[in-house]
Amino acid sequence: MPLTGTRKWLNEVIFGTDTPAGKYFDVVLIWAILLSVTLVVLASVESLWVRFGETFYQLEWFFTALFTLEYITRIYCARDRREYVTSFYGVVDLLAILPSYLALIFTGATYLMVIRLLRVLRVFRVLKLVRYLSDANILMRSLWQARRRIFVFYTSVLVLCIIFGSIMFVVEGPRHGFTSIPKSIYWTIVTITTVGFGDITPHTPLGQAIASMTMLIGYSIIAVPTGIVTAELAHEIGREKQLARCHNCGKAGHDADAEYCKQCGYRLEDFEEPLEEGG
Amino acid sequence: MPLTGTRKWLNEVIFGTDTPAGKYFDVVLIWAILLSVTLVVLASVESLWVRFGETFYQLEWFFTALFTLEYITRIYCARDRREYVTSFYGVVDLLAILPSYLALIFTGATYLMVIRLLRVLRVFRVLKLVRYLSDANILMRSLWQARRRIFVFYTSVLVLCIIFGSIMFVVEGPRHGFTSIPKSIYWTIVTITTVGFGDITPHTPLGQAIASMTMLIGYSIIAVPTGIVTAELAHEIGREKQLARCHNCGKAGHDADAEYCKQCGYRLEDFEEPLEEGG
Amino acid sequence: MPLTGTRKWLNEVIFGTDTPAGKYFDVVLIWAILLSVTLVVLASVESLWVRFGETFYQLEWFFTALFTLEYITRIYCARDRREYVTSFYGVVDLLAILPSYLALIFTGATYLMVIRLLRVLRVFRVLKLVRYLSDANILMRSLWQARRRIFVFYTSVLVLCIIFGSIMFVVEGPRHGFTSIPKSIYWTIVTITTVGFGDITPHTPLGQAIASMTMLIGYSIIAVPTGIVTAELAHEIGREKQLARCHNCGKAGHDADAEYCKQCGYRLEDFEEPLEEGG
Amino acid sequence: MPLTGTRKWLNEVIFGTDTPAGKYFDVVLIWAILLSVTLVVLASVESLWVRFGETFYQLEWFFTALFTLEYITRIYCARDRREYVTSFYGVVDLLAILPSYLALIFTGATYLMVIRLLRVLRVFRVLKLVRYLSDANILMRSLWQARRRIFVFYTSVLVLCIIFGSIMFVVEGPRHGFTSIPKSIYWTIVTITTVGFGDITPHTPLGQAIASMTMLIGYSIIAVPTGIVTAELAHEIGREKQLARCHNCGKAGHDADAEYCKQCGYRLEDFEEPLEEGG
């Protein structure tokens, strides 16, 4: 059943991005999200909280009220209410306001407040506004195509970390900070990913030799996920470029190095993304 | 000589993955492996050992008994017993149970227990169960194709590390932690792989200048293994995609960007791996 | 209105690179820039300032006078004076000399002196002298083509950092150095980029587990920008190679692996960049 | 003038790799090089020097004598003596023995001994023995093709480091370890290359924000050299594969995914490198 009247108009404004009002709403929303997230982040700094605690408190309720109003309106004008409430963004929308109300009941639940930071996920909802979606799609599709290879890669890395971690536990031992195998595995992950905090470091010559091996292996296998993603991305980007249509006559299938449409001579700017249906 | 009777059935269940019983066995086995590995890892945490030592001990013997039973059954039903026992997985299967028995004879050999962590290697045996094998094959084949280039690369990196390590030993000297050339080489590897623990750092201006050079070189040569692996992977993946067969009519040789079989119109999903014979 | 006389000649020397005098001027200028930048850098070392302070002061005024003279001459001989003064390099040219004069008025404004380091940006102006421009162009064009994908990628990374940062703030808390959410986000960025200073490190087992996850994610997503840039660069380089012209007969469109011009047999050296018009 | 008699035979053995004697000589030489380098490295460890000093001293003279004999023989049998002595490897051969003799004259010049580690460079001379040369050639050719792009990239990174370094010097100042601009630039290089020693870290919120920006930039530009090298390597490897000849009939130009020669059906193993003339 198609929506009518106010509900239809609200749906177009809140969920849609095609009308000027819908675009304006999205711009306001993205600023509200960014400001409220900044607020929660800054409120965690004790020196700021001591000085501006009252202001933070009032602003927080202002944003909670705003997002509550938005949440209710979204439920009101959704095409399928059950679907919206149980969808990923529906749950995020709820989590964005719930902690503030729960804090009224359970006083002292300050850590609960951190959940409000999930609001930052709502940024992605608004990103559909702009042309960035098709680029996000390419990234996601490449990662999705490569999912099995990435899984095999991570399994191998974890097995490697467990084996090297247990060797380091035996070689270095609790004296040098390798107090247990889980901690040794943590150290191996820190090392193999080339992070290298330096909170735990090998002190025996043998331990340093094994650590060197771990690092050189890490240096080498960093190439594997890069290779996987690059190969998929190159494929996806190449495909997108071939599917790109001329903005003038709509012809597709131009050569990868074509600068002008081979049918009408119109300039092909920046190889725009193909027209997505839906979205 | 083909196997018959119980031996044939056991072989299908334990070594095979085609029958429902064989798949069920693999699922049970992978859980047993993961649980027993987790057990060994957690048992190394002293606070947990103090509290649950007895439980760990009993569970460890339960898994040892289980894997012993499995090992004996594998020997019994193997197509070629000698081949199985001397194969890589045969040795790993033995190493998975031996340390527990040896610990009965040589008391106090706790470090021996760590060998049991090699059980984690058995995870790979079970991975053949699923479709991940062909993806693992692509990764392995790419690395294998690139083996000589990777060897040349590592030789160059090691020569670079020896030269920079000895320069840093002369420039910084024992006063600043560069107590010997091996330690300086260890530092150079830590730096060139961009791990950077920070346990040893240059303090003289000249040392910091040379360290900066080392880092910029490391930053640059990190590109080489990535380039090697990416070039090989792109080749292998492109080849696989061309060899991918339609699941409906079996036709291969579709264009890289084809979404439907050009012979029967069936959807080519995710460019499945080509049917592997054997495995 | 075309320039004439001295102004035309000065314009050719200062802004141009085609005449011998213009090339000579650029070489002198690049040395003056590098020397003056080195001067400012060294003057910040206290031990050197104490010993050579007077010399630094005199040399600084020598370079300031030189660059002031250059700036005035540039204004004098610019084709469009207003355009030059308001252009990016016009502002950089002014910032290169202004701090020294301001320091006469506002004594003690030593930090102002650091602005003089923007002189280093002038290096890029002179780089147009040599053939490096077309290579810089390829790099810039690839990054520009990939701008939207890079933006989507950075948004995702920042959202990830905010979420992981707030989780670490809750898990580790102020006791272990995670004193506020901004600091936790700082730590997450340090970790996810695999820098790993080690000034703040997780101490609880749960914190170390989450840190391990952060690192493995960072290890994996480091592949995404690489993939994006590589795919674009490969496209740009491939295109450039196809557009490369024979230096003898000017024919383009040779095969990527061609070593000799297929029309005249002249050796195609290193696939030189195509002749750029303008520059 | 072609060599004759003993000189010709010695030339074939020492410089050549085609005769069995030549191969045998190379194998002995590579072992002598590796052993003598290990010796110098180990001799720098004080605890080992105290215990085995005498043995180290004798072994060192044994290798010096050996390499002196080799150097003299090389001069004797070289096709062009002047060319050999002034060539890169000629100088390295001299540097490999000179420090030991100079130490007799200038007693106490222990740091001079480190020069002997340049012997490790001689490893590359012997590598020509094996088939690794063509793979090393591909790596070198790719880097050479990309030299201008890499130069542009490094110039940009250095300019970035100078600008960020001076900003950090102003923001953090000597109180937090940023004692001078050179040191700040060192810190910026440590950070932008994602090494992150942690010996100097920002302590002010503004400094940490700028540091975060530096890291994210570093994370991103790490993609550029990778992209450059990958694009070149993919080109070189693709070209090599097309040039690969069948080992049976010598036909080249097989498809990239061909497994058998399309002329004679002989298996194309691992796409061997094309036959190099010279070497």
Side-chain angles (χ1 to χ4, degrees):
Chain A
M1 185 197 74
L3 300 174
T4 52
T6 323
R7 243 181 102 189
K8 193 188 169 203
W9 180 79
L10 276 170
N11 186 290
E12 271 171 6
V13 171
I14 294 186
F15 286 98
T17 56
D18 298 332
T19 59
K23 281 182 187 170
Y24 186 73
F25 175 82
D26 280 349
V27 170
V28 170
L29 186 59
I30 210 163
W31 278 108
I33 293 167
L34 293 179
L35 282 175
S36 73
V37 166
T38 311
L39 198 75
V40 179
V41 166
L42 292 181
S44 75
V45 183
E46 216 180 308
S47 62
L48 291 178
W49 179 255
V50 169
R51 284 180 59 193
F52 306 110
E54 192 62 22
T55 318
F56 281 141
Y57 190 79
Q58 283 160 5
L59 277 172
E60 179 51 40
W61 275 110
F62 168 72
F63 282 116
T64 303
L66 201 77
F67 291 144
T68 307
L69 190 69
E70 185 213 343
Y71 184 60
I72 291 167
T73 319
R74 276 188 195 267
I75 293 180
Y76 169 68
C77 71
R79 210 171 292 273
D80 182 337
R81 284 166 186 171
R82 190 184 306 264
E83 199 192 297
Y84 164 67
V85 172
T86 56
S87 73
F88 175 69
Y89 282 125
V91 172
V92 168
D93 289 350
L94 184 62
L95 283 175
I97 51 172
L98 211 60
S100 300
Y101 293 111
L102 288 179
L104 290 181
I105 310 170
F106 311 102
T107 49
T110 45
Y111 284 158
L112 207 73
M113 300 320 251
V114 168
I115 297 174
R116 289 174 307 181
L117 279 176
L118 288 178
R119 279 174 193 164
V120 81
L121 282 176
R122 306 184 71 207
V123 164
F124 287 117
R125 140 174 278 154
V126 187
L127 274 185
K128 74 169 185 282
L129 165 72
V130 274
R131 313 194 304 183
Y132 298 93
L133 192 67
S134 97
D135 292 288
N137 275 350
I138 285 185
L139 294 184
M140 291 309 296
R141 206 158 51 217
S142 300
L143 290 175
W144 180 247
Q145 289 264 18
R147 68 194 177 285
R148 288 219 306 275
R149 272 170 215 122
I150 290 172
F151 178 82
V152 167
F153 169 72
Y154 268 111
T155 309
S156 310
V157 168
L158 280 176
V159 166
L160 219 64
C161 286
I162 290 173
I163 291 175
F164 269 100
S166 52
I167 293 174
M168 287 303 283
F169 172 65
V170 172
V171 170
E172 289 281 328
R175 257 176 326 133
H176 298 130
F178 295 77
T179 48
S180 65
I181 294 182
K183 201 155 197 179
S184 290
I185 293 173
Y186 162 72
W187 175 88
T188 313
I189 293 175
V190 168
T191 304
I192 221 167
T193 56
T194 78
V195 172
F197 282 131
D199 51 348
I200 313 168
T201 50
H203 287 86
T204 63
L206 182 58
Q208 290 177 343
I210 295 167
S212 299
M213 241 176 78
T214 313
M215 282 170 236
L216 288 172
I217 287 173
Y219 198 57
S220 184
I221 59 175
I222 213 171
V224 175
T226 305
I228 295 171
V229 172
T230 302
E232 287 296 340
L233 262 177
H235 179 73
E236 288 292 332
I237 289 173
R239 192 167 151 188
E240 186 194 43
K241 286 198 170 153
Q242 236 187 352
L243 293 175
R245 286 172 186 290
C246 169
H247 280 215
N248 188 38
C249 69
K251 183 168 172 52
H254 303 283
D255 290 342
D257 61 340
E259 299 231 17
Y260 295 93
C261 173
K262 61 182 165 187
Q263 186 165 294
C264 68
Y266 191 81
R267 188 170 173 83
L268 302 163
E269 345 159 4
D270 287 1
F271 291 104
E272 295 304 331
E273 67 278 9
L275 292 166
E276 303 267 339
E277 64 273 41
Chain B
M1 184 198 71
L3 302 174
T4 51
T6 324
R7 243 183 102 190
K8 193 189 170 203
W9 180 78
L10 275 170
N11 186 289
E12 270 170 7
V13 171
I14 293 185
F15 286 99
T17 57
D18 297 331
T19 59
K23 281 182 187 171
Y24 187 73
F25 176 81
D26 279 350
V27 170
V28 170
L29 186 59
I30 209 164
W31 278 108
I33 292 167
L34 293 179
L35 281 175
S36 72
V37 165
T38 311
L39 199 74
V40 179
V41 166
L42 291 181
S44 75
V45 183
E46 217 180 306
S47 61
L48 291 178
W49 179 255
V50 169
R51 283 177 62 192
F52 306 110
E54 191 62 23
T55 319
F56 282 141
Y57 191 79
Q58 284 161 5
L59 277 173
E60 179 51 39
W61 276 110
F62 168 72
F63 282 116
T64 304
L66 200 77
F67 291 144
T68 308
L69 189 70
E70 185 213 342
Y71 184 59
I72 292 168
T73 319
R74 276 188 193 269
I75 293 180
Y76 170 69
C77 70
R79 210 170 293 270
D80 181 336
R81 282 165 188 173
R82 188 184 306 263
E83 199 192 296
Y84 164 68
V85 172
T86 56
S87 73
F88 174 69
Y89 282 125
V91 173
V92 169
D93 289 350
L94 184 62
L95 283 175
I97 51 171
L98 212 61
S100 300
Y101 294 112
L102 288 179
L104 289 181
I105 309 170
F106 311 103
T107 47
T110 46
Y111 285 158
L112 206 73
M113 300 320 251
V114 169
I115 297 174
R116 289 174 309 180
L117 277 178
L118 287 177
R119 278 172 193 165
V120 81
L121 283 176
R122 306 184 71 208
V123 164
F124 288 117
R125 142 174 277 154
V126 187
L127 273 186
K128 75 168 184 283
L129 164 72
V130 274
R131 314 194 303 184
Y132 299 93
L133 192 68
S134 98
D135 291 289
N137 274 351
I138 284 186
L139 294 184
M140 291 309 296
R141 204 157 54 215
S142 299
L143 290 175
W144 180 247
Q145 290 264 18
R147 67 194 177 285
R148 288 217 308 272
R149 272 170 216 124
I150 290 172
F151 178 82
V152 167
F153 169 73
Y154 269 110
T155 310
S156 312
V157 168
L158 280 175
V159 167
L160 218 65
C161 284
I162 290 173
I163 290 174
F164 269 99
S166 51
I167 292 174
M168 286 304 283
F169 172 65
V170 172
V171 170
E172 289 281 329
R175 255 175 327 133
H176 298 130
F178 294 78
T179 48
S180 66
I181 293 181
K183 201 154 198 178
S184 289
I185 292 173
Y186 162 71
W187 175 87
T188 313
I189 293 174
V190 168
T191 304
I192 220 166
T193 56
T194 77
V195 171
F197 281 132
D199 50 349
I200 312 168
T201 50
H203 287 83
T204 63
L206 184 58
Q208 290 177 344
I210 295 166
S212 298
M213 241 175 77
T214 314
M215 282 171 236
L216 288 173
I217 287 172
Y219 198 58
S220 184
I221 59 176
I222 212 172
V224 175
T226 304
I228 296 169
V229 172
T230 301
E232 287 296 339
L233 261 178
H235 180 72
E236 288 293 331
I237 289 172
R239 192 167 153 189
E240 186 195 42
K241 286 199 171 153
Q242 237 187 350
L243 293 176
R245 285 172 188 289
C246 168
H247 281 215
N248 188 37
C249 69
K251 182 168 173 51
H254 303 284
D255 291 341
D257 61 341
E259 299 232 16
Y260 295 92
C261 173
K262 62 182 165 187
Q263 187 165 292
C264 69
Y266 192 80
R267 189 172 172 82
L268 302 163
E269 349 162 357
D270 287 0
F271 290 104
E272 295 304 331
E273 68 277 8
L275 293 165
E276 302 268 338
E277 63 273 42
Chain C
M1 184 196 75
L3 301 174
T4 50
T6 324
R7 241 181 105 190
K8 192 187 171 203
W9 180 78
L10 276 170
N11 185 291
E12 269 170 9
V13 171
I14 294 186
F15 286 98
T17 56
D18 297 333
T19 60
K23 281 182 188 171
Y24 186 72
F25 175 81
D26 278 350
V27 170
V28 170
L29 186 58
I30 209 164
W31 278 108
I33 292 168
L34 293 180
L35 282 175
S36 73
V37 166
T38 312
L39 198 74
V40 179
V41 166
L42 291 180
S44 74
V45 183
E46 216 180 305
S47 62
L48 292 177
W49 179 255
V50 169
R51 284 180 60 193
F52 306 110
E54 193 60 25
T55 319
F56 281 140
Y57 189 80
Q58 284 160 5
L59 278 173
E60 180 51 40
W61 274 108
F62 169 72
F63 282 117
T64 304
L66 201 76
F67 292 144
T68 307
L69 190 68
E70 185 213 344
Y71 184 60
I72 291 167
T73 319
R74 276 188 194 268
I75 292 180
Y76 170 68
C77 71
R79 208 170 294 273
D80 181 336
R81 284 166 186 172
R82 189 185 306 263
E83 199 192 297
Y84 164 67
V85 172
T86 57
S87 73
F88 175 70
Y89 282 125
V91 173
V92 168
D93 289 350
L94 184 62
L95 285 176
I97 51 172
L98 211 61
S100 301
Y101 294 112
L102 287 180
L104 290 181
I105 309 170
F106 312 100
T107 47
T110 45
Y111 285 157
L112 207 71
M113 299 320 251
V114 169
I115 297 173
R116 289 174 307 181
L117 278 177
L118 287 177
R119 279 174 192 165
V120 81
L121 283 176
R122 305 185 70 208
V123 164
F124 288 117
R125 139 174 280 153
V126 188
L127 273 186
K128 74 169 185 280
L129 165 72
V130 274
R131 314 195 302 184
Y132 298 94
L133 192 67
S134 98
D135 291 288
N137 274 351
I138 285 185
L139 294 185
M140 290 310 294
R141 204 157 53 215
S142 299
L143 289 175
W144 179 247
Q145 289 263 18
R147 69 195 176 284
R148 288 217 307 273
R149 272 171 215 120
I150 290 172
F151 177 82
V152 167
F153 170 72
Y154 268 111
T155 309
S156 310
V157 168
L158 280 177
V159 166
L160 220 63
C161 285
I162 290 174
I163 291 175
F164 269 100
S166 52
I167 292 174
M168 286 304 282
F169 172 64
V170 172
V171 170
E172 289 282 328
R175 258 177 323 134
H176 298 129
F178 294 79
T179 49
S180 65
I181 293 181
K183 202 155 200 179
S184 289
I185 292 173
Y186 163 71
W187 175 87
T188 313
I189 292 174
V190 168
T191 304
I192 221 166
T193 56
T194 78
V195 172
F197 282 131
D199 50 348
I200 313 168
T201 49
H203 287 85
T204 62
L206 183 58
Q208 291 177 342
I210 295 167
S212 299
M213 242 176 76
T214 314
M215 283 170 232
L216 288 173
I217 288 172
Y219 198 57
S220 184
I221 60 175
I222 213 170
V224 174
T226 306
I228 295 170
V229 172
T230 302
E232 287 296 341
L233 262 176
H235 179 74
E236 288 293 331
I237 289 172
R239 192 167 151 188
E240 185 194 43
K241 286 196 169 155
Q242 237 188 350
L243 292 176
R245 288 173 185 289
C246 169
H247 280 215
N248 189 38
C249 69
K251 184 169 171 50
H254 303 283
D255 291 341
D257 60 341
E259 299 232 15
Y260 295 92
C261 173
K262 61 182 167 186
Q263 187 165 293
C264 69
Y266 191 81
R267 190 173 171 80
L268 301 163
E269 345 160 4
D270 287 359
F271 290 103
E272 294 305 331
E273 67 278 7
L275 293 166
E276 303 266 340
E277 63 274 43
Chain D
M1 183 197 74
L3 300 174
T4 51
T6 325
R7 240 182 105 191
K8 192 188 172 206
W9 180 79
L10 275 171
N11 186 290
E12 270 169 9
V13 171
I14 294 185
F15 285 98
T17 57
D18 296 332
T19 59
K23 280 182 187 172
Y24 187 73
F25 176 81
D26 279 349
V27 170
V28 170
L29 185 60
I30 208 164
W31 277 107
I33 293 167
L34 292 180
L35 281 174
S36 73
V37 166
T38 311
L39 199 74
V40 179
V41 166
L42 291 181
S44 74
V45 184
E46 216 181 307
S47 62
L48 291 177
W49 180 254
V50 169
R51 285 178 61 191
F52 306 110
E54 192 62 24
T55 319
F56 281 140
Y57 191 78
Q58 284 161 5
L59 277 173
E60 180 51 40
W61 275 109
F62 168 73
F63 282 117
T64 303
L66 200 77
F67 291 144
T68 307
L69 189 69
E70 186 213 341
Y71 185 60
I72 291 167
T73 319
R74 275 188 194 268
I75 292 179
Y76 169 68
C77 71
R79 210 170 293 270
D80 181 336
R81 283 167 187 170
R82 188 185 307 264
E83 198 192 298
Y84 164 68
V85 172
T86 57
S87 74
F88 174 70
Y89 282 124
V91 173
V92 168
D93 289 350
L94 184 63
L95 283 176
I97 51 173
L98 211 61
S100 301
Y101 293 112
L102 288 179
L104 289 181
I105 310 169
F106 311 102
T107 48
T110 45
Y111 285 156
L112 207 72
M113 299 319 250
V114 170
I115 296 173
R116 289 174 308 178
L117 278 177
L118 287 177
R119 278 174 193 166
V120 81
L121 282 176
R122 306 184 70 209
V123 164
F124 288 116
R125 141 174 278 153
V126 187
L127 273 187
K128 74 169 185 285
L129 164 71
V130 274
R131 316 195 301 183
Y132 298 93
L133 192 66
S134 97
D135 291 289
N137 275 350
I138 284 186
L139 294 184
M140 290 310 296
R141 203 157 54 213
S142 300
L143 289 175
W144 180 247
Q145 290 263 18
R147 68 194 176 285
R148 288 217 308 272
R149 272 170 216 122
I150 289 172
F151 178 81
V152 167
F153 170 72
Y154 268 111
T155 310
S156 311
V157 168
L158 280 176
V159 167
L160 219 64
C161 285
I162 290 173
I163 289 175
F164 269 99
S166 52
I167 291 174
M168 286 304 282
F169 172 65
V170 172
V171 170
E172 289 281 328
R175 256 177 324 135
H176 298 129
F178 295 78
T179 49
S180 65
I181 292 181
K183 201 156 199 178
S184 289
I185 292 172
Y186 162 71
W187 176 87
T188 312
I189 293 174
V190 168
T191 304
I192 220 166
T193 56
T194 77
V195 171
F197 282 133
D199 51 349
I200 313 168
T201 50
H203 287 85
T204 63
L206 183 58
Q208 291 178 343
I210 295 166
S212 299
M213 242 177 75
T214 314
M215 283 170 232
L216 288 173
I217 288 172
Y219 198 59
S220 184
I221 60 176
I222 213 171
V224 175
T226 305
I228 296 170
V229 172
T230 302
E232 286 296 341
L233 262 178
H235 179 73
E236 288 293 332
I237 289 172
R239 192 168 153 187
E240 186 195 43
K241 285 197 171 157
Q242 238 189 348
L243 293 175
R245 288 173 186 289
C246 169
H247 281 215
N248 189 37
C249 68
K251 182 168 174 51
H254 303 283
D255 292 342
D257 61 340
E259 300 232 15
Y260 295 92
C261 172
K262 62 182 166 186
Q263 187 165 290
C264 70
Y266 192 81
R267 190 172 170 80
L268 302 163
E269 346 161 2
D270 287 0
F271 290 104
E272 294 305 331
E273 66 278 7
L275 294 165
E276 303 266 340
E277 61 275 42

